[in-house]
């Protein structure tokens, strides 16, 4: 159907790729640990929305620009790296909530969604991943390759959302069960910030091919 083949292999491969840790995983875990499942879910949905942008762009051929234009790739790469490092700085500057009456309130869910969306949509490696991975499961004589690409992208994103929400639920429950104190949560956030800086630098130094 739609000129798609080896769908089961695609699903299994997609799930294994989703489980691999990265900026999305760290963001979901950090928000789930600090603000509970709803915050982790908001981050997951934000990353999912970012994935769909890449899927639609790749299906329409727009992401091919990132694969062929060094300038476009560099611009998106550096903007994405800068945003990840900016989020990392915010985590590194976090303070225990119980330390002062003026402690910052929980981050609104819409902002957490925006963080997930931007951290994903500003990562050109995601666009290149879809351009390299998805076409392997589309027949050369498929009647509508763009439609087949979108269908596979939706399947990939749906399975990824199942994993991300399971991760958010597990992290939120684990955080609640061990009763993480303000200082522990602060240092967890700072450790995540250090990892985000590493990921941001890694993204900035990544090559187009």
């Amino acid at each position: 159907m739609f000129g798609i083949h080896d769908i089961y292999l695609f699903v299994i491969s997609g799930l294994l790729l989703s489980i691999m840790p990265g900026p999305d995983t760290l963001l979901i875990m950090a928000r789930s640990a600090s603000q509970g499942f709803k915050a982790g879910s908001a981050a997951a949905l934000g990353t999912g929305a970012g994935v769909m942008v890449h899927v639609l762009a790749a299906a329409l051929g727009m992401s091919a620009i990132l694969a062929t234009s060094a300038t476009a790739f560099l611009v998106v790469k550096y903007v994405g790296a800068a945003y990840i490092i900016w989020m990392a700085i915010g985590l590194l500057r976090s303070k225990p909530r119980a330390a002062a009456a003026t402690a910052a309130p929980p981050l609104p869910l819409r902002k957490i969604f925006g963080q997930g969306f931007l951290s994903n949509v500003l990562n050109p490696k995601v666009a290149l991943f879809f351009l390299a991975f998805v076409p392997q499961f589309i027949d050369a004589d498929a009647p509508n390759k763009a439609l087949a690409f979108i269908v596979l992208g939706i399947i990939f994103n749906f399975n990824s959302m199942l994993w991300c929400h399971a991760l958010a639920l597990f992290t939120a429950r684990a955080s609640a069960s061990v009763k993480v104190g303000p200082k522990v949560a602060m240092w967890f956030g700072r450790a995540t910030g250090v990892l985000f800086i590493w990921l941001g630098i890694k993204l900035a130094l990544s090559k187009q091919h």
Side-chain angles (χ1 to χ4, degrees):
M1 185 180 294
F2 302 112
I4 297 171
H5 61 83
D6 297 324
I7 186 65
Y8 298 109
L9 179 60
F10 175 82
V11 170
I12 294 172
S13 301
L15 283 172
L16 291 175
L17 289 168
S18 297
I19 292 172
M20 293 177 63
D24 297 345
T25 302
L26 291 175
L27 180 62
I28 292 167
M29 292 182 67
R31 293 309 176 195
S32 299
S34 61
Q35 293 183 223
F37 172 74
K38 288 185 177 180
S41 176
L45 291 174
T47 63
V51 166
M52 287 311 301
V53 170
H54 286 296
V55 168
L56 294 174
L60 297 174
M62 291 163 44
S63 290
I65 297 174
L66 293 177
T68 57
S69 172
T71 301
F73 181 86
L74 286 174
V75 170
V76 176
K77 180 180 71 171
Y78 288 137
V79 170
Y83 181 75
I84 290 175
I85 292 175
W86 178 78
M87 285 198 300
I89 293 173
L91 290 169
L92 289 172
R93 296 178 62 186
S94 62
K95 298 179 180 179
R97 291 184 183 176
T102 59
L107 199 65
L109 295 182
R110 65 180 183 277
K111 289 188 177 182
I112 296 175
F113 177 92
Q115 285 184 338
F117 177 78
L118 290 175
S119 68
N120 193 289
V121 81
L122 292 177
N123 187 348
K125 285 294 185 180
V126 179
L128 297 181
F129 161 75
F130 279 106
L131 283 175
F133 178 68
V134 176
Q136 299 180 44
F137 299 90
I138 300 176
D139 294 329
D141 57 350
N144 192 327
K145 292 183 176 63
L147 179 60
F149 201 109
I150 292 173
V151 170
L152 287 173
I154 291 173
I155 293 173
F156 178 92
N157 206 14
F158 177 78
N159 292 330
S160 178
M161 286 298 96
L162 291 178
W163 161 252
C164 289
H165 278 82
L167 181 65
L169 181 62
F170 172 80
T171 305
R173 288 188 173 181
S175 178
S177 64
V178 298
K179 297 180 180 179
V180 177
K183 288 187 177 181
V184 175
M186 177 192 70
W187 284 110
F188 176 80
R190 290 182 176 179
T192 304
V194 172
L195 289 174
F196 264 60
I197 288 178
W198 175 75
L199 288 168
I201 294 174
K202 183 179 179 182
L203 175 59
L205 296 177
S206 63
K207 296 182 179 180
Q208 187 173 2
H209 299 292

